[in-house]
Every structure is written in C-alpha cells, then in structure tokens.
Amino acid sequence: MAKKGGDTTVKRQRAPSFWKVRRKHGQFVVRARPGPHPKAVCYPLGILLRDVLSVGQTMDEVKGILNDGKVSVDGVVRRAIGWPVGLMDTIELIPLSQTFRLVPKNRNLLVPVLLSKQSEKSLKLLRVTLKKTIKGNKTQYGFHDGMTLVLTEQYSVGDTCLVDLSNKQIKSHMILKKDSIVLVTKGENAGAIGKIEEIRDGLFSLPKRTVVSLADRSVEIPVQMVMSVGDKEPIIQVN
C-alpha cells in the first residue's frame, strides 16, 4: 500500500540544534507539522512542553495534557503535539495561569520567557513580510507567523505591528528606521536589544543591512535578522 501523509518524526541527530532534546536518548522525536512557522525555526508543541518547560515527563503525558485542552497558543487551544510554535508566539498553561512568549535570548534562537503581566498574553509583535494590493484596491499584509490582514493603513515590509490577538486589531506600529529599538532574532547576537545607528542599502553581493549599537559594540546585521520592538524601549516584554 502506498504511503499516505508525511513523516511525523525526525531523527534526534537531525533535529534543529536549538531543540533542547537529548541526542542519544532514543532514535526519533516529534517532527514539526506544516503550519505558521518554518520547521527550521520552530518547536513542535510537544517538544517544547516536555523538554523545555518540563510540563510532562513523557510524550504520552504531554498528549494527555493537550487532549484535555490545557494549553493554548496565541489564544487558541491546540491539541497536536506537532503544532509549530515560533518567534513571538504565546503559550499559555491554562490551569497554572502562566503564559510564556517565545523569543531569542542569550544567542539561543527560541527561549520561553514567563510573562510578568498576564494582560500581555493577547499581544503579539508581528513583522511585516508581504504587502500586496488586492481586489477593491485594498492592501493585504502578510506577517512572519503566516497571519494575513487586509488593512487600510499603509505599512512597509520590515515594519513591526503590535497586534491584539483577541480581535486581530493593530494597536501600534513601529517603523524600521534610524534610532529604532530592535531585537536581534538570529545569529550569534540573537536576543540582543540595541538601537539602529544606520541603515545601509543593499548591493549586488550584499543584502540591505542595519548597523545596530549593542551594549558594548556596534554590529552590522541584515535587516531580515532584526525586528523593531519600540522607539525608546520595547513596547512589550521580549526578554
């Protein structure tokens, strides 16, 4: 019989390097299913709960927790252990009234940070990755987590929007420009927060770059690796 569907597991040795899994403890782990984040820059929800947040000791325990509807991602209850969670997603442990936001931190690509204010659990920073005009002369925007919105306001690719997930309304907008406060999302400086000193146009052999002032130095980083998070300080908790 022909195989139906994709693989649901991946070999531990081939899992992304930032996954906090024991590489020699068994052969396979859960694979991230297709969804809002690319598989190379996300966690499967089951791995995050078991190996990072230590919600359960085994995947069977995690499955039971998810099946009982005790975990939500961005305000939506998720029951699949392979559901992909990535940059700026909020994971709520409903019985504990605890919410974590996934952000880069200390050179790690994704780290769950416990929110000190539960009022922020419905807020999410989204980077604009796509902009196009659709029927009716309306503008459709695509964001880094796969969300799309049709809006009348004008934004640019690379800008960041603060979205209220409860009603899909944009509460604030941050332009990627000089003096903006940015969060480095990838690379050896992942998790660092700094101020843009300069934006340099791309060349034939170089992408568009930003010069970011960090705590002790200035570094040149491609614009795709930074996210504007505020004008003078981060508008919501990102570390």
Side-chain angles (χ1 to χ4, degrees), residues 98-112:
Q98 291 182 341
T99 304
F100 298 84
R101 178 174 288 123
L102 283 179
V103 295
K105 187 175 183 179
N106 298 330
R107 300 187 177 184
N108 293 307
L109 190 64
L110 291 175
V111 176

Side-chain angles (χ1 to χ4, degrees), residues 108-127:
N108 293 307
L109 190 64
L110 291 175
V111 176
V113 174
L114 179 64
L115 296 185
S116 57
K117 298 178 181 178
Q118 277 293 97
S119 59
E120 286 194 4
K121 69 179 183 181
S122 65
L123 300 178
K124 185 175 184 180
L125 289 172
L126 295 174
R127 182 171 53 210

Side-chain angles (χ1 to χ4, degrees), residues 164-206:
D164 187 338
L165 298 172
S166 63
N167 54 20
K168 300 297 190 296
Q169 296 295 314
I170 293 180
K171 295 178 67 66
S172 184
H173 164 233
M174 286 143 287
I175 301 174
L176 189 68
K177 58 181 176 48
K178 183 179 179 181
D179 293 331
S180 292
I181 302 299
V182 295
L183 172 70
V184 183
T185 59
K186 296 180 181 178
E188 64 179 20
N189 296 298
I193 296 176
K195 179 185 289 187
I196 293 181
E197 296 179 343
E198 180 185 356
I199 296 180
R200 297 175 178 173
D201 292 331
L203 303 174
F204 180 78
S205 58
L206 288 174

Side-chain angles (χ1 to χ4, degrees), residues 7-239:
D7 291 331
T8 57
T9 59
V10 63
K11 287 187 176 180
R12 286 176 180 264
Q13 297 297 333
R14 300 186 64 182
S17 59
F18 67 90
W19 286 15
K20 303 301 182 183
V21 296
R22 290 177 288 181
R23 300 288 166 170
K24 296 184 178 180
H25 187 77
Q27 188 175 5
F28 297 98
V29 290
V30 175
R31 178 190 295 268
R33 62 186 288 184
H37 298 281
K39 63 182 180 181
V41 290
C42 72
Y43 267 114
L45 185 54
I47 295 295
L48 179 71
L49 294 175
R50 184 191 66 182
D51 297 280
V52 182
L53 295 177
S54 300
V55 171
Q57 294 184 346
T58 67
M59 194 57 70
D60 284 340
E61 290 182 8
V62 171
K63 287 180 181 178
I65 293 169
L66 292 174
N67 287 335
D68 289 340
K70 296 180 179 178
V71 179
S72 69
V73 179
D74 287 345
V76 179
V77 172
R78 299 295 181 185
R79 291 182 167 85
I81 58 174
W83 181 261
V85 288
L87 180 65
M88 294 297 166
D89 284 357
T90 54
I91 296 88
E92 182 181 7
L93 307 180
I94 298 173
L96 302 178
S97 297
Q98 291 182 341
T99 304
F100 298 84
R101 178 174 288 123
L102 283 179
V103 295
K105 187 175 183 179
N106 298 330
R107 300 187 177 184
N108 293 307
L109 190 64
L110 291 175
V111 176
V113 174
L114 179 64
L115 296 185
S116 57
K117 298 178 181 178
Q118 277 293 97
S119 59
E120 286 194 4
K121 69 179 183 181
S122 65
L123 300 178
K124 185 175 184 180
L125 289 172
L126 295 174
R127 182 171 53 210
V128 179
T129 58
L130 174 69
K131 176 182 179 180
K132 65 179 182 179
T133 302
I134 60 175
K135 186 176 180 180
N137 201 30
K138 298 179 181 179
T139 304
Q140 180 178 355
Y141 294 92
F143 300 95
H144 78 268
D145 70 342
M147 183 187 296
T148 60
L149 293 174
V150 177
L151 305 168
T152 57
E153 297 85 353
Q154 291 299 309
Y155 306 129
S156 299
V157 171
D159 291 353
T160 303
C161 294
L162 178 65
V163 178
D164 187 338
L165 298 172
S166 63
N167 54 20
K168 300 297 190 296
Q169 296 295 314
I170 293 180
K171 295 178 67 66
S172 184
H173 164 233
M174 286 143 287
I175 301 174
L176 189 68
K177 58 181 176 48
K178 183 179 179 181
D179 293 331
S180 292
I181 302 299
V182 295
L183 172 70
V184 183
T185 59
K186 296 180 181 178
E188 64 179 20
N189 296 298
I193 296 176
K195 179 185 289 187
I196 293 181
E197 296 179 343
E198 180 185 356
I199 296 180
R200 297 175 178 173
D201 292 331
L203 303 174
F204 180 78
S205 58
L206 288 174
K208 188 175 181 180
R209 296 97 66 211
T210 59
V211 178
V212 181
S213 174
L214 302 180
D216 54 351
R217 65 196 187 285
S218 295
V219 295
E220 188 176 87
I221 305 173
V223 293
Q224 294 85 357
M225 295 171 61
V226 298
M227 174 185 281
S228 180
V229 294
D231 292 328
K232 296 182 179 180
E233 60 183 13
I235 195 170
I236 60 173
Q237 183 180 343
V238 293
N239 57 14

